[in-house]
Amino acid sequence: YEIASCLVGSEMCIRDSLRALESSRESERRQPPSRKQQIRKFLDEHAHEPAALSDLARALHVSPSRAGHLVTAAFGCPFQELLLAERMTRARNLLLSTDYPQKEIARCCGFGTVHYFSRMFRRFYGMPPGRCRDAKKNGVPGREPRKRTEFI
């Protein structure tokens, strides 16, 4: 009888634990996206166009100052730096996977001119966009981006 009651008790404990787990999963699905997810979504949707911290602030329904603090807390760098990193990643992917001219890649990634794009790409990756594309074609591995303080 004692063993049976222990089993019944442990079965109830397991059942209750499973119910609690299911309940927490349901509440997670119903929760709105985190600030980090909202910021990431904003970057995904707006990195190709002129985007400013004030635009992100409007999307998050906070002040620009608060938006700046949220970005720094979530990603460890300022908004403009995060935006530049997103644009550089997109540009490098396009350079290595397409034959689009640099001017088109610059436009697609939100840079005003191909000259500005080229200058920022060189600062970020340590080589001009054309050399990055040529290195890929010739099988030479590319460099990782420089540390934040190196390209500011």
Side-chain angles (χ1 to χ4, degrees):
Y1 175 74
E2 221 173 281
I3 295 174
S5 67
C6 287
L7 287 176
V8 170
S10 62
E11 287 174 359
M12 288 174 43
C13 183
I14 292 170
R15 184 192 66 215
D16 292 344
S17 296
L18 288 173
R19 284 184 183 162
L21 180 63
E22 287 174 14
S23 175
S24 69
R25 285 183 180 162
E26 286 176 21
S27 68
E28 285 176 9
R29 281 185 235 133
R30 284 185 261 134
Q31 288 180 352
S34 70
R35 288 292 194 191
K36 190 170 186 175
Q37 291 169 328
Q38 290 174 321
I39 295 166
R40 171 61 44 208
K41 183 179 181 209
F42 179 86
L43 287 172
D44 290 342
E45 294 174 355
H46 299 282
H48 66 281
E49 59 193 27
L53 184 59
S54 59
D55 300 323
L56 174 64
R58 258 191 306 283
L60 296 177
H61 306 290
V62 297
S63 71
S65 174
R66 180 68 183 137
H69 290 292
L70 290 171
V71 170
T72 303
F75 294 95
C77 63
F79 174 75
Q80 286 301 325
E81 197 172 304
L82 189 63
L83 180 62
L84 178 63
E86 176 66 24
R87 288 175 173 172
M88 287 291 118
T89 300
R90 290 180 183 195
R92 187 168 189 259
N93 289 340
L94 286 172
L95 277 168
L96 299 178
S97 64
T98 70
D99 289 328
Y100 293 163
Q102 289 182 31
K103 186 175 184 178
E104 182 65 18
I105 291 173
R107 190 189 61 75
C108 288
C109 295
F111 292 95
T113 68
V114 69
H115 304 292
Y116 179 64
F117 162 66
S118 183
R119 187 170 68 239
M120 296 310 292
F121 193 94
R122 181 187 299 257
R123 283 185 188 168
F124 197 80
Y125 287 110
M127 69 176 74
R131 189 178 304 157
C132 179
R133 180 177 270 169
D134 292 342
K136 171 67 174 168
K137 288 179 182 176
N138 297 329
V140 178
R143 252 182 64 180
E144 287 301 310
R146 293 180 177 189
K147 293 202 184 294
R148 178 174 98 166
T149 55
E150 293 179 20
F151 64 88
I152 293 179

